[in-house]
């Protein structure tokens, strides 16, 4: 039977719990804090497929020595605007945050910054790094690759990752543009969550191992994901593998390690392109023009079945406002997982209440 989401945690409590668990697992205070903030930000934005629900699995990998808890992150400059970072098999969250920081620094000086990364791991919600650039007023494009989960268009066997592309641009009074999308109809995390909660999935999300459509989340986990728009989603997944894998020196073409199935480093790659808008016009003018674009999108009359027209990133922004006030809702299975982790790691448990915090 499907479990009901009904336990609420204060985001700051979730972050404290997550950081404590990661420090116990060997990460430095700084790296644990960075990773905890990425995971909780995903939960706050409603991307709870990529939040604390994955913590136990990440800790399992670092405890087994499959992820390096204390990576030495070295940057090698290629040109003034381009650099490469070797992730030293650290957690993707830590590696990608550092790489984005470097790309922002170069963009701030030269107008554009481009940093490629190899020897990394799964970096979670791609919007995390777009938000990092937005906080500095920058436009950004983020690429990652991931383990094979999807056939190339027309194929039966998996080869491509469901690697999310993310992009962001700052505005003034409107919610900033944040596109964060997997090239599959949905992210695999949504199937994993449905399986964890005992729920079925809509037809069209995934295929069984023989290539037939399925509504059974567990069957889908053994099968493959369906690409958005057939050859178009498949083509975007290949672009992600070029920008994050072929170009960076990381694994590519089906060779990224599967963090759920394989006991080896993943060698995920990422790349980050950051653009400073005030190279072309003042930052104020750019932001005002972005506001105009968002307002024109909002001004379009809704089609039948829609109440309003939203800008990309707006649904998550709205949910984050609600969750900051009400707390992050977790399901029974997640509550149980946090309790087990607290016991195993010997850390204080996460405080959860059965009603929204402001009710
Ligand atoms: N690291 C990895 O390997 C990996 C792999 C897959 C997915 N993910 C993550 O999973 C998350 C979910 O991915 P997804 O593809 O299922 O995202 P999604 O389908 O929920 O959203 C995709 C985009 O559409 C926008 N959107 C949604 N509804 C909208 C509306 N009504 N109006 C305007 N815009 C709207 C969202 O703001 C978002 O930018 C992402 O954060 C992604 O980074 C990570």
């Amino acid at each position: 039977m499907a479990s009901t989401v009904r336990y609420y945690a204060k985001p700051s409590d979730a972050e404290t719990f997550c950081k404590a668990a990661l420090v116990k697992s060997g990460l430095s205070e700084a790296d644990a804090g960075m990773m905890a903030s990425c995971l909780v930000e995903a939960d706050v934005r409603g991307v709870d497929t990529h939040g604390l629900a994955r913590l136990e699995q990440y800790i399992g990998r670092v405890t087994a020595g499959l992820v390096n808890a204390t990576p030495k992150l070295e940057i090698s400059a290629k040109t003034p605007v381009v650099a490469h970072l070797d992730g030293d098999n650290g957690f993707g969250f830590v590696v990608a945050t550092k790489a984005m920081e470097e790309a922002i620094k170069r963009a701030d000086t030269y107008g554009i910054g481009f940093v490629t990364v190899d020897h990394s791991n799964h970096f979670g919600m791609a919007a995390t790094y777009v938000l990092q650039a937005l906080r500095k007023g920058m436009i950004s494009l983020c690429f990652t690759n991931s383990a094979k989960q999807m056939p190339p268009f027309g194929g039966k066997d998996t080869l491509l990752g469901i690697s999310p592309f993310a992009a962001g641009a700052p505005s003034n009074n409107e919610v900033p543009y944040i596109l964060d999308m997997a090239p599959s109809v949905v992210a695999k995390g949504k199937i994993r969550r449905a399986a964890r909660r005992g729920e079925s999935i809509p037809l069209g999300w995934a295929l069984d191992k023989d290539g037939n459509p399925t509504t059974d989340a567990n069957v889908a986990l053994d099968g493959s994901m369906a690409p958005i728009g057939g050859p178009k989603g498949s083509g975007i997944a290949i672009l992600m593998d070029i920008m994050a894998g072929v170009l960076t020196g990381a694994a590519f073409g089906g060779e990224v390690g599967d963090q759920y199935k394989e006991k080896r480093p993943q060698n995920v790659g990422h790349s980050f392109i950051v653009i400073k808008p005030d190279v072309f016009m003042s930052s104020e003018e750019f932001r005002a023009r972005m506001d105009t674009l968002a307002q024109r999108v909002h001004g379009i009359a809704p089609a039948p079945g829609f109440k309003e027209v939203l800008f990309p990133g707006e649904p998550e922004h709205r949910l984050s406002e609600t969750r900051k006030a009400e707390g992050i809702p977790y399901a029974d299975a997640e509550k149980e997982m946090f309790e087990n982790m607290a016991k195993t790691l010997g850390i204080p448990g996460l405080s959860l209440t059965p009603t929204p915090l402001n009710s």
Side-chain angles (χ1 to χ4, degrees), residues 47 49-50 122-127 144-146 162-164 178-188 190 306 309-316:
V47 187
T49 47
H50 287 73
H122 187 258
F123 77 3
M125 173 183 77
T144 188
N145 64 1
S146 55
I162 44 176
S163 315
I178 301 182
L179 179 70
D180 177 10
M181 50 159 283
S184 50
V185 175
V186 292
K188 190 155 187 180
K190 287 185 184 156
F306 290 83
V309 181
L310 300 177
F311 211 43
E314 213 163 356
E316 292 83 3

Side-chain angles (χ1 to χ4, degrees), residues 145-146 159 241-242 244-256 266-267:
N145 64 1
S146 55
L159 179 77
D241 217 12
I242 296 169
V246 177
L247 179 66
T248 65
F252 67 95
E255 289 177 347
V256 170
Q266 286 195 281
N267 196 8

Side-chain angles (χ1 to χ4, degrees), residues 124-212:
M125 173 183 77
T128 308
Y129 314 101
V130 163
L131 283 159
Q132 191 183 340
L134 284 173
R135 285 193 281 272
K136 299 288 182 187
M138 304 280 181
I139 299 169
S140 62
L141 307 175
C142 302
F143 304 85
T144 188
N145 64 1
S146 55
K148 59 180 180 182
Q149 325 251 14
M150 203 166 71
F153 181 66
K156 190 175 159 204
D157 298 329
T158 58
L159 179 77
L160 305 174
I162 44 176
S163 315
F165 169 69
S171 50
N172 202 12
N173 299 313
E174 301 295 332
V175 170
Y177 173 88
I178 301 182
L179 179 70
D180 177 10
M181 50 159 283
S184 50
V185 175
V186 292
K188 190 155 187 180
K190 287 185 184 156
I191 305 219
R192 227 171 256 120
R193 181 182 56 190
R196 203 171 51 242
R197 296 180 177 179
E199 296 165 356
S200 60
I201 54 166
L203 210 56
W205 279 17
L207 310 167
D208 68 15
K209 60 180 170 25
D210 299 317
N212 304 304

Side-chain angles (χ1 to χ4, degrees), residues 55-297:
L55 184 58
E56 191 177 46
Q57 193 265 338
Y58 290 131
I59 286 181
R61 298 248 333 150
V62 76
T63 308
L66 299 169
V67 170
N68 182 358
T70 54
K72 288 197 177 50
L73 302 182
E74 278 170 21
I75 308 264
S76 46
K78 302 293 176 192
T79 75
V81 299
V82 181
H84 177 76
L85 186 149
D86 183 330
D88 195 21
N89 194 30
F91 274 120
F93 303 90
V94 173
V95 174
T97 302
K98 173 88 178 164
M100 178 50 104
E101 192 181 289
E102 187 63 27
I104 292 169
K105 202 169 82 190
R106 283 165 195 273
D108 199 34
T109 310
Y110 301 106
I112 186 159
F114 181 25
V115 175
T116 59
V117 179
D118 65 355
H119 301 130
S120 186
N121 284 283
H122 187 258
F123 77 3
M125 173 183 77
T128 308
Y129 314 101
V130 163
L131 283 159
Q132 191 183 340
L134 284 173
R135 285 193 281 272
K136 299 288 182 187
M138 304 280 181
I139 299 169
S140 62
L141 307 175
C142 302
F143 304 85
T144 188
N145 64 1
S146 55
K148 59 180 180 182
Q149 325 251 14
M150 203 166 71
F153 181 66
K156 190 175 159 204
D157 298 329
T158 58
L159 179 77
L160 305 174
I162 44 176
S163 315
F165 169 69
S171 50
N172 202 12
N173 299 313
E174 301 295 332
V175 170
Y177 173 88
I178 301 182
L179 179 70
D180 177 10
M181 50 159 283
S184 50
V185 175
V186 292
K188 190 155 187 180
K190 287 185 184 156
I191 305 219
R192 227 171 256 120
R193 181 182 56 190
R196 203 171 51 242
R197 296 180 177 179
E199 296 165 356
S200 60
I201 54 166
L203 210 56
W205 279 17
L207 310 167
D208 68 15
K209 60 180 170 25
D210 299 317
N212 304 304
T214 181
T215 57
D216 184 322
N218 284 303
V219 168
L221 286 177
D222 278 340
S224 63
M225 305 293 295
I228 46 167
K232 301 179 211 177
S234 171
I236 291 172
I238 294 173
L239 175 65
M240 301 307 289
D241 217 12
I242 296 169
M243 294 298 290
V246 177
L247 179 66
T248 65
F252 67 95
E255 289 177 347
V256 170
D258 187 322
Q259 60 176 343
Y260 287 95
K261 295 183 185 154
E262 294 176 304
K263 296 196 180 329
R264 64 178 174 104
Q266 286 195 281
N267 196 8
V268 170
H270 322 294
S271 65
F272 302 97
I273 300 174
V274 177
I275 301 159
K276 190 179 183 182
D278 39 320
V279 163
F280 300 101
M281 62 188 74
S282 75
S283 163
E284 290 70 30
E285 191 183 352
F286 177 81
R287 286 166 180 262
R289 286 167 67 85
M290 282 299 299
D291 278 358
T292 302
L293 179 60
Q295 286 152 8
R296 287 185 187 163
V297 168

